[in-house]
Structure formats: structure tokens, C-alpha cells
Amino acid sequence: SDCTSSMDTMFAVPILFLLVLYTFVGLAIVCDEYFCESLEKISSALNLSDDVAGATFMAAGSSAPELFTALITIFIAPGDQGVGTIVGSAVFNICVIVGVTALSAGQVLDLWWYPLSRDSAFYALSIILMVLAMADGQVTVFESASLVATYVLYVSAMCFNEKIVDWLKSQERRVESEKNLK
């Protein structure tokens, strides 16, 4: 059966587009005015560094739609949408958000190798674990625990991030000063 309704007319599509646009603008305003400010206050009250806050509260807040989609496809309306939504969202985040941000910067962005390497390594590990967990079509409790443990390891690394950064920068300065002496 065709999936058509009276809203599929040539006149309804622009109206629907405007409604979606209105929703996105409203969501942007709510996130900017309330969500980010609330997360900053929570992080400040808990004495969390920006790195830990970003890896926990900010990540959970921005990933809530994928989480609820996955829960709905598990408990309410079983289907494959959960995994597809999560993986598709990750691809969107990496390709579109990073790409548009870089294009919008209006300048060449200088990146330090460590944060990019750290996050890419954890991301690669999480993808490998996800593929291994889903390879046989079933996800066991051990595989699920491994995925959650990887996230806990990432947050733990973020807790020590400032010390790691200080150490790495001191090593870079030491190597640079040794080069200058030669």
C-alpha cells in the first residue's frame, strides 16, 4: 500500500517544511538559552572540568534522541531503526557538523594532535566493539558491558585530561628546546 495522505500535495510540502524549520529554530533557542546554561551550572556545582562535562552531560544531552529511539525500538516497536539511527547520527556528527563548523570558521583551524588522536582512538575502539558485538546478530550482556566500560574508560581519561595535556605540552617544550640547542 502506498504511504500517501492529503498532506502529500504540492501545497502541503512547503507548509511542512516551514513547520520543521520553525521547530529547529525553537529547539536551537531552547538549547542555547536553557540547556547549555543548565549544563554549565550543573558542571560548576559538581566542580567538573570542561572536558568531563563535555564527555558526560553534554554528550548525554545531545545523544538523548538516539537513546530514546533505541529504547523505543527495543521495548515498544521492535525494529532495526535504533542501530541505524545511532550509526547514522554518528556519521552526521563527524561529517556534517565538523565540516560545516570548519567551513563556517572563515579561517584555517589549527588543531593540536592530542585531542583529535584521543577521541579518534576511543571512537575507533567503540566502532570495533560495536561491530564485534553485532556480528552474530545478538548482543550479549558481556558485549553490552564492554561497550559501557569503554565509555567509562573514556570519561576516566577525560578526568585526567588536564594532567595528560600538561605532561604532553611539557614534553613538546622539552623536545623543542633540545632542537633549538642543536
Side-chain angles (χ1 to χ4, degrees):
S1 68
D2 292 334
C3 184
T4 59
S5 71
S6 59
M7 292 303 289
D8 294 332
T9 66
M10 186 167 48
F11 299 108
V13 171
I15 293 170
L16 292 173
F17 178 77
L18 289 173
L19 285 172
V20 169
L21 185 62
Y22 176 77
T23 303
F24 282 146
V25 170
L27 183 62
I29 291 169
V30 168
C31 287
D32 189 43
E33 295 293 324
Y34 300 104
F35 179 69
C36 293
E37 188 176 324
S38 298
L39 290 181
E40 287 174 12
K41 287 183 180 182
I42 291 169
S43 299
S44 177
L46 295 174
N47 217 14
L48 298 177
S49 69
D50 289 344
D51 295 322
V52 175
T56 55
F57 292 114
M58 208 51 141
S62 65
S63 297
E66 291 88 359
L67 175 63
F68 290 116
T69 299
L71 292 175
I72 287 169
T73 58
I74 291 170
F75 296 113
I76 297 172
D80 296 331
Q81 297 86 359
V83 173
T85 299
I86 294 165
V87 174
S89 175
V91 171
F92 177 84
N93 290 343
I94 289 172
C95 296
V96 176
I97 293 176
V98 172
V100 168
T101 302
L103 287 172
S104 301
Q107 62 184 358
V108 174
L109 299 175
D110 291 324
L111 300 175
W112 190 41
W113 66 271
Y114 170 68
L116 183 63
S117 300
R118 175 201 63 214
D119 292 348
S120 296
F122 274 103
Y123 187 73
L125 177 61
S126 68
I127 293 295
I128 290 167
L129 290 174
M130 184 187 71
V131 167
L132 291 173
M134 296 180 177
D136 62 356
Q138 296 179 340
V139 180
T140 65
V141 172
F142 175 76
E143 292 165 337
S144 300
S146 298
L147 290 166
V148 173
T150 301
Y151 177 70
V152 171
L153 182 64
Y154 175 68
V155 172
S156 299
M158 297 308 286
C159 289
F160 296 103
N161 191 55
E162 288 181 38
K163 291 179 182 176
I164 295 169
V165 166
D166 289 343
W167 183 81
L168 287 171
K169 287 191 175 186
S170 71
Q171 295 302 309
E172 286 180 344
R173 284 190 298 273
R174 184 184 59 79
V175 168
E176 189 65 33
S177 66
E178 288 176 4
K179 280 184 185 178
N180 291 336
L181 292 175
K182 291 182 182 181

